[in-house]
Amino acid sequence: MFGLMMTSTLLGVAHAQQLLGDPVEESQAGPAVAPATTPRPRPPVDPNEIRITGVGKGSTSWTIVVLLTFLTLIPSLLLCMTPFARLLIVFHFLRQALGLQTTPSNQTLIGLSLVLTFFLMQPVGATIYQTSVLPLQKGRISAMQALERGAIPVQQFMLHYVREKDVALFVELSKEPRPREPKDLSLRVIAPAYILSELRMGFQIGTVLFLPFLVIDMVVASISTSVGMLQLPPVVISTPLKLLLFVMVDGWNLLIGSLMRSFN
């Protein structure tokens, strides 16, 4: 009986070793070879993802600081270093001369001024991109060098339209030595002198634009008074006449064409 039990136990152990594998034989065969691992595929790149990297040799954090600072300065740069102020002043004078209070709206006039400003400043922007932005992106120059290079085309543009009288005023106020050539002027002097010259030119063009419509108002007012139409405001009659005259002579084409030629 005992022999039968031992025999059945040995048969069970042998059957279990056949099913699970003999650990002794595996240890004699040597260490198991680890299976080759395949590299994990990279996650797909989202086309709508925005990544900000350092410009040139700079870090990402400083790049973000420079971009945010530039965004806050865009309105001031747009007013002080572009023809935007002159164009907007002339368009507001035109609206007042026509006797219209809200047509065209302020948004329309600002949008038109922005488009014309972009049209005029596009050559300057292309020059800045070639001489300043591209070398900065390739790491050839630092951010300060790029800023100095980018200021040169803007200074040349402003010097072309600034008045000598306005430049002399701010040179005197800044206590700087008198420059030998216009290119020796600093941006501290050129920028306020340029905006002052643009304001003067905008008011000058607006005044000339106002005169023919003022004549129409005076003629209508004198006629309506002479015929005894005292209770009828002259604006009711003069506004349609001014609009008719402006449309008949294609006023928008003449005005914008004259403004664009004034910057050549």
Side-chain angles (χ1 to χ4, degrees):
M1 186 69 181
F2 180 78
L4 291 174
M5 292 177 62
M6 292 294 295
T7 304
S8 61
T9 303
L10 293 174
L11 290 175
V13 172
H15 182 66
Q17 289 180 353
Q18 289 179 1
L19 293 176
L20 300 176
D22 191 0
V24 178
E25 292 179 358
E26 291 181 358
S27 62
Q28 293 177 354
V33 180
T37 58
T38 58
R40 295 181 179 179
R42 296 182 178 180
V45 180
D46 187 3
N48 298 324
E49 183 180 1
I50 299 176
R51 295 184 179 182
I52 300 177
T53 58
V55 178
K57 300 180 181 178
S59 62
T60 304
S61 58
W62 279 108
T63 302
I64 295 175
V65 171
V66 171
L67 289 176
L68 293 178
T69 305
F70 179 74
L71 289 176
T72 58
L73 293 177
I74 284 179
S76 300
L77 296 176
L78 186 65
L79 289 174
C80 299
M81 299 183 180
T82 63
F84 180 80
R86 183 196 299 192
L87 297 173
L88 191 60
I89 289 172
V90 172
F91 292 149
H92 276 285
F93 266 98
L94 174 65
R95 187 172 67 179
Q96 293 295 327
L98 290 173
L100 305 174
Q101 300 298 325
T102 58
T103 304
S105 63
N106 291 331
Q107 291 80 2
T108 304
L109 297 180
I110 293 173
L112 180 59
S113 302
L114 284 174
V115 172
L116 296 178
T117 301
F118 176 78
F119 177 82
L120 292 170
M121 298 298 293
Q122 192 274 334
V124 180
T127 304
I128 294 174
Y129 182 77
Q130 293 294 333
T131 60
S132 178
V133 178
L134 283 181
L136 179 62
Q137 290 179 346
K138 296 179 181 179
R140 298 176 182 175
I141 58 176
S142 62
M144 292 302 299
Q145 292 174 342
L147 185 62
E148 292 175 359
R149 290 189 180 185
I152 295 176
V154 179
Q155 289 182 0
Q156 293 176 351
F157 175 82
M158 291 190 294
L159 283 174
H160 191 67
Y161 302 105
V162 73
R163 290 196 311 164
E164 183 178 355
K165 183 178 180 180
D166 298 329
V167 173
L169 172 64
F170 284 99
V171 168
E172 180 183 357
L173 294 176
S174 63
K175 307 299 182 181
E176 293 185 359
R178 189 177 184 86
R180 296 182 179 180
E181 297 180 0
K183 64 180 182 180
D184 297 332
L185 291 168
S186 63
L187 191 61
R188 177 193 176 193
V189 173
I190 298 176
Y194 173 77
I195 188 62
L196 188 60
S197 301
E198 288 295 293
L199 290 175
R200 175 186 175 276
M201 184 60 64
F203 274 84
Q204 184 177 352
I205 297 174
T207 303
V208 175
L209 185 65
F210 214 103
L211 290 178
F213 300 106
L214 181 62
V215 172
I216 295 177
D217 286 333
M218 294 176 64
V219 171
V220 171
S222 62
I223 293 176
S224 61
T225 303
S226 61
V227 298
M229 302 173 61
L230 301 177
Q231 297 181 355
L232 180 65
V235 179
V236 177
I237 303 175
S238 63
T239 300
L241 293 178
K242 290 187 289 186
L243 289 175
L244 181 61
L245 175 64
F246 188 74
V247 172
M248 288 181 59
V249 300
D250 197 4
W252 284 113
N253 185 279
L254 293 176
L255 176 61
I256 294 179
S258 301
L259 285 173
M260 294 296 101
R261 293 186 185 94
S262 67
F263 287 99
N264 290 334

